[in-house]
Amino acid sequence: MPKSKAEILMVFVTVPGLKDGNRMSKEILTSRLAACVTVIPGVQSMYWWKGKIARAKEAMLVMKTTRSQYRRLESKIMELHSYEVPEIVAIPLVAGLPQYIEWVSHEVAH
């Protein structure tokens, strides 16, 4: 039975670059913690860090997973990530192609 749309999450993670993004994506997919990871290179981030505005060239990972796998995915990201406090944010999917939602649920359930 397919999961409902509310159970699918889009998880956003910034990483130092494409090499880190590809390495992390492969491990996360191999662990079946996400059905898909989109790696977006060339992201420019500006943020407050330790009292100063910092700037970094990064890549953005967009992971598609289920709510039931989120904590395991977050733990895996923390294990693999080089940042002291990585950006890991999840947004629930509110609408989507039913076949895609079913596919994400199926692939993460393995």
Side-chain angles (χ1 to χ4, degrees):
M1 171 182 258
K3 305 263 186 198
S4 73
K5 287 176 268 205
E7 292 180 303
I8 302 299
L9 300 178
M10 306 288 286
V11 181
F12 296 85
V13 179
T14 51
V15 295
L18 207 47
K19 184 178 178 181
D20 288 289
N22 288 333
R23 175 185 55 81
M24 288 177 65
S25 297
K26 186 173 182 181
E27 289 206 37
I28 286 162
L29 289 168
T30 301
S31 299
R32 292 286 188 170
L33 297 175
C36 174
V37 180
T38 302
V39 182
I40 304 167
V43 174
Q44 177 76 28
S45 296
M46 293 181 69
Y47 51 92
W48 281 100
W49 185 248
K50 299 187 178 183
K52 295 188 237 175
I53 293 177
R55 180 187 312 239
K57 291 183 180 179
E58 300 177 300
M60 173 70 72
L61 306 181
V62 182
M63 304 175 189
K64 293 73 163 191
T65 193
T66 57
R67 186 177 302 274
S68 64
Q69 290 290 358
Y70 175 77
R71 290 292 171 211
R72 288 183 62 224
L73 174 59
E74 183 182 82
S75 293
K76 182 60 116 177
I77 294 166
M78 291 298 294
E79 173 190 318
L80 299 171
H81 213 295
S82 63
Y83 290 175
E84 185 178 335
V85 181
E87 174 185 9
I88 306 171
V89 295
I91 300 171
L93 185 68
V94 296
L97 181 69
Q99 295 91 329
Y100 182 81
I101 293 165
E102 184 177 346
W103 172 78
V104 170
S105 298
H106 175 77
E107 293 304 325
V108 176
H110 276 85

